[in-house]
Amino acid sequence: MTDPVAAIILAAGKGTRMKSDLHKVLHPIAGRPMLLHLIASVGTLAPARTVVVTGAASAQVEAAVAPLGVATALQAEQLGTGHAVQQAQDALAGFEGDVLILYGDVPLVSSATMRAMLDRLHGDDEPATVVLGFRPVDPGAYGRVIADRDGRIAKMVEFKDASPEERAETLCNSGLMAVRARDLFALLARVDNENAAGEYYLPDIVMLAAADGRASAVIETDAHEVAGVNSRAELAGVEHAWQQRRRAAAMAEGATLIAPETVWFAHDTAIGRDVTIEPHVVFGPGVSVADNAVIRAFSHLEGATVGEGASVGPYARLRPGAVLGMGAKVGNFVEMKQAVLGAGAKAGHLTYLGDADVGAGANIGAGTITCNYDGFFKYRTRIGEGAFIGSNSALVAPVAIGTGAIVAAGSVVTRDVEPDALVVARGEQQVKPGWARRFRDRMTAKKK
């Protein structure tokens, strides 16, 4: 039986280098705020408690996590990472188990890595704490971890306080830790701020435990997993790295990406086998694409469901609530929103289907519009199976087109059409022979 788990996520700093009114940890990666990426990963461990430590712009962070049932604790004064963790003490009152300490601006730590930290905490040597280390290409100003070959930590030191020999070490401290709850706050109470920054450093608990005769351990992970975001450029870099891994995963799982570097996925995009994705396709959140579907170039999908063997685009836009049935097709410059296109139905080009239900096998001609909004309310259009809607038609909702009915091109349909009927709703064509020539002659004479 494993010990219960709690997570403390530090998110007190707003991030002035982002130059944004939005809190740093709420900037999105793959369509999801960084902080929510992290909370989702923690969630796979079924934590007993999760506490987000807030500070600047705390109301924004509180509003983001409240729907998830996540607690918050305020760090009113920014006095360092050790001080920040202390602010969660009341929220964890009575908790007995393991505590993960994470950072809201280090969003892509996997649940597998979190589990590895917890497993190491319960290793045979029972380390007092477990530190997550990494080896970046440029160690820069990261704190260093001095450890033996077995990962037992001899010393941890912040870059500002490190000697030249210690700065030569390439193993760096990500800041993430795993500690038993019974140890965490007792150790933090002994941390002082006698250092170059005058702050209370969380890593100092490692050396305090060592002074008590209890060693700590470090485990390593890839640098990309602990990449932090402090600027727009770093945000773009993390997004790029995330997309690269997601594209590789999609292809490994059986999808064809013609130009992988041009396809952008959301955090929850679901792609089936033998799906073909052409260049310059963007997936917003909430999209699933079934087996054998084709997403053609320059299409944008969000909140949409694409059925098996369906075809989208090129230059199509599927908005939330768009559903394509098996073998359905939308072509170039077709937009769908809260609309269902039945199995085998087609909307080839230049069409808007909003708040509509289109039956199986129906054909929607070019330039068709479902007029779903009167400026105050939305209304649905229902098109029966096998119906044919002629080009440049306007269907004024609420309206129903019966099974097998035909709407003549250029019609404005305002009333229901019975099954298998033909509806023609347009002005009668009039022809006046010679009128155009006489008009031109008259206008030319006026210009002289």
Side-chain angles (χ1 to χ4, degrees), residues 30 71 84 126 131 161 201 241 243 321 340 350 410 414 436 439 442:
E126 296 189 345
V131 174
D161 304 308
Y201 290 146
Q243 293 292 340
V340 178
L350 303 167
T414 59
F439 172 77
R442 187 167 64 253

Side-chain angles (χ1 to χ4, degrees), residues 289-308:
V289 181
D291 295 350
N292 298 298
V294 177
I295 313 297
R296 301 201 179 277
F298 294 99
S299 294
H300 188 286
L301 298 80
E302 181 175 359
T305 301
V306 179
E308 184 175 352

Side-chain angles (χ1 to χ4, degrees), residues 5-9 39 42-43 47-52 69-72 91-92:
V5 177
I8 299 173
I9 301 175
I39 290 173
V42 170
R49 303 185 200 179
T50 300
V51 184
V52 175
V70 171
T72 59
L92 294 184

Side-chain angles (χ1 to χ4, degrees), residues 194-217:
E194 295 178 8
N195 51 62
E199 294 185 348
Y200 297 90
Y201 290 146
L202 174 64
D204 284 0
I205 67 174
V206 172
M207 302 318 299
L208 288 169
D212 296 339
R214 302 178 62 201
S216 293

Side-chain angles (χ1 to χ4, degrees), residues 254-258 263 270-283 287-301 305-318 324-332 341:
T256 294
L257 276 60
I258 304 299
V263 176
I271 304 293
R273 294 182 63 179
D274 293 313
V275 169
T276 298
I277 304 173
E278 293 185 353
H280 301 288
V281 171
V282 176
F283 294 96
V287 176
S288 65
V289 181
D291 295 350
N292 298 298
V294 177
I295 313 297
R296 301 201 179 277
F298 294 99
S299 294
H300 188 286
L301 298 80
T305 301
V306 179
E308 184 175 352
S311 177
V312 177
Y315 296 98
R317 184 182 181 196
L318 302 187
L324 272 66
M326 182 181 293
K329 178 181 179 180
V330 296
N332 50 290
L341 200 61

